[in-house]
Amino acid sequence: MTSPIIGFICGSLRAGSMNKSLTNDLMRRFANAGAQTRRLDLGDYDLPIYHGDLQQPAGVKRLSADMRACRGIVIISPEYNGSLPALLKNAIDWVSTAGRDPFTQPAYGIASCTPGALCGIMVLRELNYILTRIGADVVPVHVGVGFGEDAFDEQGVLTSQASSERADLMVKRLLNQIEITADS
């Protein structure tokens, strides 16, 4: 089997985002495990606010195709007021209008990094619910990183042992799930 392509969607566009740091760390872990990695930057797709009367924009078609080209997708999201950011929810809503394949074909992993102690548990729960509701196969190991300002070293490596172990376990589970679906 060729090495699978894993796409990474970060729910934050901010340059200094701790969730971008987590994205980079997870991309490194997947590459070290033999996967190809691809960043799917939501800022590159020109997605207007979802409106049912609008025709599907070209950016939605491109994002949908880019997601389908991946064997796995990891969504990394900040937690805003106990939920996911509007940018990410908007992208999910738009892509779901392009059919279920971008959600049912790849396997999914989810992760969050927050400044507080709760590690994004609310956004992880919300993401898991939304993704499984639309048919995604979300691996049961989620990565939550608390106290994000202090969670990475100077090289951007996750330093929390518990979060690092969860990240490694998610990588293993997602790659195993991809292998299982390839064999069936």
Side-chain angles (χ1 to χ4, degrees), residues 4-6 26 29 32 39 44-45 58 103 124 128 140-141 154 159-160 162 178:
I5 299 170
I6 309 298
L26 290 171
R29 288 170 194 271
N32 288 344
R39 190 179 309 270
D44 294 340
Y45 292 96
F103 298 106
L124 292 171
N128 188 62
V141 178
E154 300 80 33
T159 57
S160 161
I178 290 168

Side-chain angles (χ1 to χ4, degrees), residues 22 28 32 47 106 151 156:
L22 180 56
R28 179 187 54 77
N32 288 344
L47 304 174

Side-chain angles (χ1 to χ4, degrees), residues 10 12 14 24 26 37 40 60 74 78 82 87 131 135 139 142 156 166 176:
C10 184
S12 176
R14 194 170 55 80
N24 293 336
L26 290 171
T37 61
L40 304 176
V60 172
V74 179
L87 168 73
L131 292 170
V139 295
H142 307 159
R166 297 280 298 172
N176 284 343

Side-chain angles (χ1 to χ4, degrees), residues 65-178:
D66 288 349
M67 289 170 70
R68 282 192 314 272
C70 298
R71 296 294 313 279
I73 298 204
V74 179
I75 297 179
I76 303 93
S77 180
E79 182 176 289
Y80 293 168
N81 299 316
S83 189
L84 56 157
L87 168 73
L88 183 55
K89 179 67 165 86
N90 188 58
I92 291 169
D93 289 344
W94 265 121
V95 171
S96 72
T97 68
R100 299 284 189 213
D101 287 352
F103 298 106
T104 59
Q105 287 182 357
Y108 276 79
I110 57 176
S112 180
C113 187
T114 61
L118 297 181
C119 305
I121 192 163
M122 298 302 289
V123 73
L124 292 171
R125 185 177 78 172
E126 189 98 1
L127 267 173
N128 188 62
Y129 173 78
I130 292 167
L131 292 170
T132 56
R133 176 81 173 89
I134 54 181
D137 179 12
V138 181
V139 295
V141 178
H142 307 159
V143 179
V145 179
F147 304 110
E149 292 92 1
D150 300 319
F152 302 91
D153 67 15
E154 300 80 33
Q155 288 76 39
V157 175
L158 190 56
T159 57
S160 161
Q161 182 177 350
S163 295
S164 185
E165 288 171 1
R166 297 280 298 172
D168 288 339
L169 186 55
M170 186 195 50
V171 169
K172 181 179 176 181
R173 291 274 180 95
L174 188 63
L175 292 176
N176 284 343
Q177 186 61 31
I178 290 168

